[in-house]
Amino acid sequence: MTDRVKIFDTTLRDGEQAPGFSMSAGQKLAMAEALEGLRVDVIEAGFAAASPGDFEGIKAIAEMVTEATVCSLARCNEGDIRASGEAIKPARSGRIHTFIATSPLHREFKLKMDKDEIVRRAIAAIELARQYTDDVEFSCEDAIRTERDYLKRVVEAAIQAGASTINIPDTVGYTTPEEITDLFQFLTTEVEGADDVIFSAHCHDDLGLAVANSLAAVRGGARQVECALNGIGERAGNCAMEEVVMALRTRRDFFGIDTRVRTEGIYGASKLLAAITGNAVPRNKAIVGKNAFAHESGIHQHGVLANRETYEIMKPEHVGVSTDNLVLGKHSGRAALKNRAEKLGFTLSDNQLQSIFVAFKELADAKKEVFDSDIEALVLGEAVGSVGPWEIESLYVSAGSDEHRMPKATVALKHKDGRTQTHVSEMAGPMNAVFDAISRITDTPMTLEHYAVTSVSGGEDAMAEATVRVATEFETYQGRGASTDTVLASARAYLDVINRVERRTVRQASIAAQH
Ligand code: MN
């Protein structure tokens, strides 16, 4: 048994497949880079057979990642296994993760297969997967609700067939800590061949127990935990990676085992994921929430000033939360910006630094002091990758309480093909007018589902960050924009969505043209 817990990150598979969390290929690649920077052991990059886009996404990640193992999910059938095998081919270290349901409910109503048939399918899939890689993981879907003797039989057959990781998922988030500890103890001691494989836990948070159950599985002998950043995933989500990692580290005295995660990168990676998917992290979220290291009450502040450990069990800097909030200004140079971004957990390529530096100079001209949170917003804005084809040429809005005049927005947009178009909209609300003008110029009808503006940093000249969620006829998109001007930030967020829709349409048209 290994002396540490492997972190199997499924942000890009289980997380990405949850409604409202889908990412483009480029965004998945940026997230994979962040996960590699965190030193997770395995990146589950997608489900190769799901779509050509998934396949290409996994392949691109396999080509880029050098340290972590890159994994693709596959059902126990030939097409899925072969697609996964091809997708992970470029990886330095590649894994196929194949699964089949084993519980009575799934056997009878979903698969309509008997016990023997399922064992046969599992064996055939694992043997085929082994033709592509030595690193094969097998999951008994809905393992928690599977009869123990049958679970043991399937697992033994899987080990015999060549699986080296055995995953025992709580697919429906049903188990409790005591129960799962006991199950892992049973499997790691009773299963023939148990010493030669790693047992893995995959817990869902339907009862809010995913992290507790994953830790309990480790107590029972699990040496791999499947988890996702910010706890994203199907339904209530997966075990939150930042929580399980920091629990093992902070309570090493209790668990006696750790991971190899570079925890200083956690906060940056969490922020990046939130920006890319447009799903903000709740303020009170453990480890990565805005309040996780804030001390507001007088008694707490007094204690922390005397000795931080009175109310802090972890150091904020250990998860990459900056506490010194150094200020940069318009005379700060490229090196200072790069250094600051790195302190905040972001690694910038020369190209990224160049474009962020330009935005930084503009911002430093608009406001005197540039705080860490401003820099974070610039980096995330760049990472979200909202480049063209449309950009805002000019924007003017009038609004107020004069009942004889409607709020009015005059918007001019420039397309990268050179044309500029202007539209004037009068609507009941000023933001409605802005969004309407953008929709009309770009000929993209959309329904606004959610719109929020928050202040990125303190002070009168603080930067505003706007997020929108918008539905088109076919899909829901999230957009983000930042500026010292609230209206401009909002317009940018809306245009971010328009650009995503247009890029997607262009991509689909080019795929269609190939056929
Ligand atoms: Mn799952």
Side-chain angles (χ1 to χ4, degrees):
M1 202 179 275
T2 63
D3 57 351
R4 62 182 176 83
V5 176
K6 284 192 176 199
I7 292 299
F8 176 112
D9 184 278
T10 188
T11 304
L12 300 177
R13 201 278 299 166
D14 205 318
E16 201 263 346
Q17 77 190 43
F21 286 89
S22 73
M23 299 174 221
S24 70
Q27 292 173 331
K28 283 181 85 170
L29 209 56
M31 266 328 296
E33 208 165 352
L35 291 168
E36 167 104 317
L38 282 174
R39 300 188 57 196
V40 303
D41 297 274
V42 185
I43 296 172
E44 189 165 49
F47 192 163
S51 73
D54 266 64
F55 179 89
E56 290 303 329
I58 297 167
K59 208 167 149 202
I61 291 170
E63 278 160 8
M64 184 202 68
V65 164
T66 55
E67 219 185 308
T69 296
V70 177
C71 172
S72 167
L73 186 68
R75 285 165 298 188
C76 284
N77 67 56
E78 190 180 336
D80 277 30
I81 303 279
R82 292 204 187 279
S84 291
E86 294 300 325
I88 61 160
K89 222 167 218 175
R92 192 193 54 81
S93 163
R95 173 181 294 190
I96 296 174
H97 175 195
T98 187
F99 73 98
I100 194 163
T102 50
S103 69
L105 268 168
H106 282 241
R107 290 197 308 257
E108 189 181 342
F109 294 100
K110 191 178 85 174
L111 297 175
K112 298 186 175 29
M113 283 183 206
D114 67 18
K115 288 180 173 177
D116 294 343
E117 172 76 4
I118 286 167
V119 173
R120 273 198 300 277
R121 299 255 179 156
I123 292 171
I126 294 164
E127 285 176 350
L128 180 60
R130 280 296 303 263
Q131 291 180 15
Y132 290 91
T133 171
D134 290 343
D135 188 349
V136 174
E137 171 169 335
F138 174 73
S139 284
C140 310
E141 191 188 1
D142 204 16
I144 293 295
R145 294 191 296 176
T146 302
E147 309 91 324
R148 272 201 185 187
D149 57 339
Y150 181 58
L151 188 62
K152 177 169 178 286
R153 184 182 151 205
V154 179
V155 168
E156 282 174 347
I159 295 172
Q160 190 78 39
S164 47
T165 303
I166 299 293
N167 186 38
I168 304 296
D170 182 16
T171 306
V172 291
Y174 183 69
T175 195
T176 71
E178 289 77 7
E179 184 179 68
I180 200 171
T181 301
D182 188 60
L183 179 61
F184 274 81
Q185 270 165 357
F186 165 75
L187 291 169
T188 50
T189 52
E190 298 298 322
V191 159
E192 200 170 318
D195 292 344
D196 303 326
V197 298
I198 287 183
F199 281 89
S200 165
H202 177 112
C203 297
H204 276 273
D205 210 30
D206 298 71
L207 294 172
L209 291 170
V211 174
N213 287 337
S214 302
L215 292 167
V218 170
R219 296 279 285 166
R223 287 298 174 264
Q224 173 177 289
V225 169
E226 304 199 355
C227 46
L229 270 170
N230 297 346
I232 71 172
E234 292 268 29
R235 303 184 312 278
N238 282 92
C239 168
M241 190 248 261
E242 62 279 8
E243 296 179 22
V244 77
V245 164
M246 289 314 290
L248 288 170
R249 177 140 315 167
T250 307
R251 294 308 309 275
R252 214 186 151 152
D253 61 316
F254 180 75
F255 292 103
I257 194 158
D258 205 349
T259 70
R260 68 196 280 272
V261 170
R262 192 181 63 83
T263 60
E264 291 76 10
I266 283 178
Y267 192 64
S270 159
K271 281 282 200 180
L272 180 65
L273 179 64
I276 280 177
T277 62
N279 290 280
V281 174
R283 290 186 83 100
N284 65 328
K285 165 84 180 57
I287 316 293
V288 292
K290 209 176 164 72
N291 286 2
F293 294 97
H295 305 283
E296 283 298 328
S297 90
I299 295 171
H300 285 211
Q301 285 180 347
H302 174 77
V304 167
L305 286 173
N307 180 343
R308 298 203 73 87
E309 287 180 20
T310 50
Y311 288 98
E312 269 181 18
I313 58 166
M314 295 167 275
K315 287 198 165 63
E317 52 270 32
H318 286 176
V319 295
V321 174
S322 131
T323 45
D324 49 1
N325 205 21
L326 208 96
V327 174
L328 295 184
K330 63 171 161 193
H331 301 296
S332 305
R334 218 168 293 240
L337 178 65
K338 183 170 193 216
N339 183 275
R340 214 52 217 153
E342 273 167 13
K343 268 252 164 91
L344 297 169
F346 303 110
T347 325
L348 305 180
S349 68
D350 288 346
N351 278 343
Q352 284 172 313
L353 179 64
Q354 182 51 34
S355 74
I356 291 163
F357 189 66
V358 172
F360 165 76
K361 281 288 170 187
E362 280 172 20
L363 182 64
D365 276 337
K367 70 197 289 266
K368 289 180 266 343
E369 297 174 315
V370 179
F371 297 103
D372 284 349
S373 43
D374 295 319
I375 293 170
E376 197 175 272
L378 292 178
V379 174
L380 293 174
E382 215 277 338
V384 171
S386 183
V387 262
W390 289 101
E391 59 181 88
I392 295 167
E393 175 122 310
S394 70
L395 172 71
Y396 188 78
V397 178
S398 56
S401 60
D402 181 346
E403 61 183 273
H404 302 294
R405 283 193 291 177
M406 295 265 272
K408 187 159 103 179
T410 308
V411 179
L413 299 182
K414 194 173 156 193
H415 194 273
K416 72 164 183 232
D417 65 12
R419 70 198 140 110
T420 299
Q421 268 173 272
T422 306
H423 190 89
V424 182
S425 281
E426 286 189 345
M427 304 279 281
M431 289 323 305
N432 287 351
V434 171
F435 296 157
D436 179 67
I438 293 176
S439 271
R440 282 174 196 277
I441 293 172
T442 59
D443 195 21
T444 315
M446 307 196 290
T447 314
L448 184 66
E449 289 184 343
H450 178 78
Y451 164 53
V453 182
T454 52
S455 167
V456 164
S457 52
E460 274 174 22
D461 56 1
M463 226 192 343
E465 182 178 63
T467 49
V468 293
R469 189 174 68 236
V470 172
T472 66
E473 197 183 341
F474 305 104
E475 213 174 329
T476 302
Y477 291 87
Q478 265 110 15
R480 180 195 165 282
S483 169
T484 48
D485 180 316
T486 309
V487 177
L488 194 53
S490 307
R492 282 180 179 160
Y494 199 78
L495 197 62
D496 181 22
V497 171
I498 300 272
N499 282 328
R500 284 168 199 252
V501 175
E502 178 149 341
R503 284 200 303 269
R504 195 183 161 90
T505 314
V506 168
R507 198 187 318 137
Q508 281 171 337
S510 81
I511 292 168
Q514 289 169 19
H515 291 282

